[in-house]
């Protein structure tokens, strides 16, 4: 910024909504929002909704609430959302009542076009290796891997297979789009034919009321958008859920005997029941 090369700092906190935030997320939150605050920039909250089997709306709502709580009073003015339905990438005006987090799934078409461009330039190919075979072909640190037998497919064949993958013609996981990179690269896991965005079934949480759209495995969810009522959350340290337990024979908070935390918690969670769900709400946490 001092040189004028960068006019404004824009950071982002991109959690995957496949679970509740834990204490480890606090570092990333404080870093990204802190840098934006220090340099007069903004920080976008972007849901990295890429996995159709693990993500739920409940996690999105929980993440938003926890981020707002953690940055409240010192960096809440740099938090940015987008207007509902907007896919331009522009943040919503401050105070917009119809604002929501950014979502990677809003850019599936752009990501798909990037994938097609890589195929056309010979830099990506459709691979038929299983996950186990891919690990074996990848090699190890200090040991070069070996090319997939499908690495030299023609551009035409790769484009045809990729289109059929998008159409759902093959079982999930049967084929993978991979980048054609050096199999002797020292970065074993990220540079030796890494997987690229590829078709998967599902819909992102914020698309739960929309007609299903073909999507890439970069931010899709299962068709289960109801809240789970059979669990409760336990909070400690930073206000936010750090564990999830099925209600049953025992609902005593499992963290009450852990060192310093024991001085902040009552003898049991404030809401306990073996016959119905229980939830440690933000207000009850502050009361602790």
């Amino acid at each position: 910024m001092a040189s004028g090369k960068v006019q404004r700092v824009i950071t982002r906190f991109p959690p995957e909504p496949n679970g509740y935030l834990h204490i480890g997320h606090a570092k990333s939150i404080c870093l990204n929002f802190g840098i934006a605050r220090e340099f007069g920039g903004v920080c976008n909250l972007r849901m990295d909704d890429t996995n159709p089997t693990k993500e739920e709306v409940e996690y999105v709502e929980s993440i938003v609430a926890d981020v707002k709580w953690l940055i409240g009073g010192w960096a809440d003015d740099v938090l940015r959302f987008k207007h509902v339905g907007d896919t331009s990438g522009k943040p919503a005006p401050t105070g917009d009542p119809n604002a929501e987090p950014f979502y990677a799934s809003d850019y599936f078409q752009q990501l798909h076009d990037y994938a097609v461009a890589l195929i056309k330039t010979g830099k990506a190919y459709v691979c038929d290796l299983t996950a186990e075979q891919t690990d074996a072909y990848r090699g190890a640190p200090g040991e070069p891997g070996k090319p997939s037998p499908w690495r030299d497919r023609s551009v035409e064949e790769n484009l045809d297979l990729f289109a059929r993958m998008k159409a759902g013609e093959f079982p999930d996981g049967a084929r993978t789009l991979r980048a054609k990179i050096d199999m002797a690269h020292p970065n074993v896991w990220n540079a030796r034919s890494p997987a690229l965005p590829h078709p998967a079934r599902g819909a992102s949480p914020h698309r739960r009321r929309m007609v299903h759209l073909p999507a890439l495995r970069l931010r899709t969810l299962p068709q289960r958008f109801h809240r789970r009522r059979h669990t409760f959350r336990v909070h400690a340290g930073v206000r936010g859920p750090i564990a999830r337990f099925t209600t049953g024979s025992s609902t005593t908070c499992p963290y009450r005997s852990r060192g310093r935390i024991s001085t902040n918690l009552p003898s049991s969670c404030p809401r306990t029941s073996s016959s119905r769900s229980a939830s440690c709400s933000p207000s009850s946490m502050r009361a602790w």
Side-chain angles (χ1 to χ4, degrees):
M1 292 188 68
S3 66
K5 183 178 181 180
V6 176
Q7 301 300 320
R8 192 183 190 192
V9 171
I10 301 177
T11 62
R12 88 283 181 267
F13 175 58
E16 181 177 356
N18 63 351
Y20 304 112
L21 297 184
H22 52 72
I23 194 67
H25 288 101
K27 178 178 180 180
S28 179
I29 294 172
C30 292
L31 176 66
N32 286 292
F33 282 91
I35 289 177
R37 176 177 177 270
E38 180 179 355
F39 293 98
V42 297
C43 182
N44 296 333
L45 178 57
R46 194 202 72 194
M47 299 296 161
D48 193 18
D49 50 342
T50 61
N51 193 327
T53 63
K54 297 181 179 180
E55 296 162 3
E56 298 188 33
V57 176
E58 176 178 354
Y59 299 138
V60 173
E61 295 173 345
S62 173
I63 289 170
V64 172
D66 289 345
V67 168
K68 286 184 175 179
W69 178 87
L70 184 58
I71 67 173
W74 68 277
D76 44 339
D77 59 322
V78 303
L79 172 62
R80 291 295 182 272
F81 294 103
K82 69 179 184 66
H83 188 77
V84 173
D86 184 14
T87 59
S88 67
K90 296 180 180 179
T94 303
D96 186 346
N98 296 313
E100 66 177 1
F102 292 85
Y103 290 90
S105 58
D106 285 335
Y107 312 102
F108 277 151
Q109 187 59 52
Q110 184 177 357
L111 294 168
H112 172 271
D113 295 344
Y114 287 155
V116 171
L118 287 173
I119 293 174
K120 288 182 176 179
T121 56
K123 297 177 181 178
Y125 64 98
V126 175
C127 183
D128 293 1
L129 292 178
T130 65
E132 293 75 16
Q133 291 171 329
T134 298
D135 285 341
Y137 272 71
R138 186 176 286 117
E143 176 185 326
K146 57 182 180 179
S148 164
W150 316 106
R151 184 182 174 96
D152 295 323
R153 276 175 162 154
S154 67
V155 170
E156 292 73 18
E157 184 179 7
N158 282 317
L159 288 173
D160 175 66
L161 289 172
F162 189 61
R164 291 161 65 187
M165 288 168 65
K166 181 181 177 182
E169 185 174 329
F170 310 115
D172 289 346
R175 288 189 162 92
T176 308
L177 183 67
R178 297 193 173 278
K180 191 180 293 185
I181 305 180
D182 182 9
M183 293 304 293
H185 196 284
N187 190 335
V188 177
W189 300 106
N190 297 320
R192 295 187 184 181
S193 291
L196 297 174
H198 54 286
R201 298 175 178 85
S204 299
H206 68 306
R207 297 178 184 274
R208 60 188 179 279
R209 295 187 179 90
M210 299 173 62
V211 176
H212 168 64
L213 301 174
L216 303 179
R217 187 183 297 279
L218 248 132
R219 185 76 63 160
T220 54
L221 267 98
Q223 301 298 328
R224 304 182 274 115
F225 300 115
H226 58 281
R227 284 178 175 272
R228 291 178 181 255
R229 297 295 183 185
H230 63 286
T231 61
F232 67 86
R233 287 166 279 174
V234 176
H235 307 255
V238 175
R239 205 292 298 169
I242 61 173
R244 202 159 175 243
F245 303 90
T246 302
T247 57
S249 59
S250 174
T251 52
T252 299
C253 179
Y255 292 92
R256 68 189 185 102
S257 62
R258 291 192 177 181
R260 182 178 62 83
I261 296 179
S262 64
T263 63
N264 298 324
L265 304 183
S267 59
S268 63
C269 288
R271 298 182 183 180
T272 60
S273 171
S274 59
S275 61
R276 62 181 176 82
S277 65
S279 177
C280 299
S281 66
S283 59
S284 67
M285 287 299 97
R286 285 192 289 270
W288 288 13

